[in-house]
Amino acid sequence: MRTTRRVQAQQCIEGIAMKRRHFPALVGLVATCVFSAHVSAIAQGAFPDRPIRIVVPYPPGGATDVSARLVAGEMAKLLAQSVIVENKPGVAGVIGTDLVAKSPADGYTLVFGGAGNLTLRPIMDPKLSYKVDKDLAPISHVVTYDHLLVVRNGLPARTVQEFLKVAKERKLSYGSSGTGGPQHLAMELLKFMTHTEMTHVPYKGESPAILDLVGERVDAAIISTAVAGQLIKGGKIRAIAAANPYRSRIFPELPTISEAGVPGYEMEAYGGLLAPANTPAPVLAKLQRAAMDAMKAPALQQQFIDGGLIPIGGTSADLSKLLQKEREKWAPIIKSSGVTLE
């Protein structure tokens, strides 16, 4: 390997010497040599030679944050390098995602994204500062999230039909992880399908939303089982239905919203790992393998399941197909429901 690099270097030097009288050609040759050496180093396994940063564009404590930290710990072992999770919340995931989209395409700054910042917000805001399909490169579909319809303990509703009845009698409020996020759109979809009015109270993530639900400052929320699970078990809030098209693994006794009287209702939220566009293919391949292998670890899978998270560990192609499918699903729903960012 060293001999090959030495030969490549000698060839570059000889080429430079031959073109020393032609400055433009010299500049181009130097750039080519440098780029070739960079790609060669990547292909020969030099990546990663320093810590990798995974940006979570939401506050600590939410399902996205929990998932990112779990997979990051296992990836660090496989890559023999630190994998640091950094929270950059704001504007329903836009700030952190934009930061990664504009970062150097070298594989050292990644984003752990989901439905809010990768599907819903881009549909609702055509002038968004990043384009998912142009500015980001999929690495792996990591996880799918269970979601539950939950209410404050003081609300006289124990079923979906009772909840809708109360909501039509008096205007209720609901919290979400932010305007344009999956929990916001999930409740808007329920409102749209049942002709019900409720007031949206956006937060900067799941954790602050659930705290206000516990404190009975908002009436309801559709929230991830990963965040709400222990609070439900502890009697701090009440779960009345599963929002996914399947029953919760943690609370299988709960019907789905569709089963409970709103046929056809369903929402699914996902978590995936992405890099800036134009990240070299060998780097993306190495990150994909690390993420997929991490999710195969039995202990990590159990941690996900125990937290109400569904481990996936899919390929970059899986994530790319999912992003396309979700765009096609939600675009007409958002248009027909009339929901906006206001």
Side-chain angles (χ1 to χ4, degrees), residues 116-251:
N117 60 327
L118 301 179
T119 299
L120 304 175
R121 191 82 187 199
I123 293 171
M124 298 173 73
D125 185 4
K127 296 181 180 179
L128 201 60
S129 56
Y130 59 87
K131 301 290 185 185
V132 175
D133 54 348
K134 292 182 179 179
D135 298 326
L136 294 168
I139 294 171
S140 175
H141 175 196
V142 176
V143 62
T144 296
Y145 305 119
D146 266 349
H147 273 75
L148 304 170
L149 173 60
V150 295
V151 299
R152 61 181 177 85
N153 280 336
L155 195 75
R158 295 185 176 275
T159 67
V160 171
Q161 292 305 316
E162 288 176 356
F163 172 69
L164 294 174
K165 181 175 183 292
V166 173
K168 289 176 180 179
E169 291 173 348
R170 51 189 165 114
K171 197 168 184 179
L172 300 180
S173 62
Y174 74 91
S176 82
S177 58
T179 302
Q183 289 129 4
H184 173 208
L185 271 294
M187 193 66 91
E188 289 296 320
L189 178 61
L190 182 61
K191 286 170 52 181
F192 176 71
M193 293 180 69
T194 59
H195 309 288
T196 305
E197 290 298 321
M198 284 182 272
T199 301
H200 178 219
V201 182
Y203 293 84
K204 291 185 177 180
E206 286 187 282
S207 294
I210 202 77
L211 287 176
D212 267 9
L213 187 65
V214 171
E216 304 211 22
R217 288 178 284 275
V218 290
D219 297 307
I222 289 179
I223 210 89
S224 70
T225 310
V227 171
Q230 291 304 314
L231 294 170
I232 295 167
K233 291 177 180 178
K236 303 295 185 183
I237 54 176
R238 185 188 310 128
I240 60 177
N244 296 66
Y246 46 81
R247 292 198 176 197
S248 167
R249 296 185 186 184
I250 306 299
F251 301 100

Side-chain angles (χ1 to χ4, degrees), residues 7-81:
V7 169
Q8 289 175 340
Q10 184 61 37
Q11 289 173 342
C12 282
I13 291 169
E14 291 172 357
I16 290 169
M18 291 175 63
K19 297 181 180 294
R20 61 186 181 275
R21 294 183 182 178
H22 304 281
F23 186 72
L26 175 61
V27 171
L29 185 58
V30 169
T32 300
C33 290
V34 171
F35 178 74
S36 298
H38 174 64
V39 172
S40 177
I42 291 172
Q44 292 169 13
F47 175 86
D49 60 6
R50 65 180 188 273
I52 294 170
R53 177 175 61 153
I54 296 178
V55 173
V56 171
Y58 303 102
T64 303
D65 181 63
V66 171
S67 300
R69 292 181 187 279
L70 286 173
V71 74
E74 197 67 28
M75 286 178 67
K77 299 175 190 176
L78 296 168
L79 293 169
Q81 187 58 259

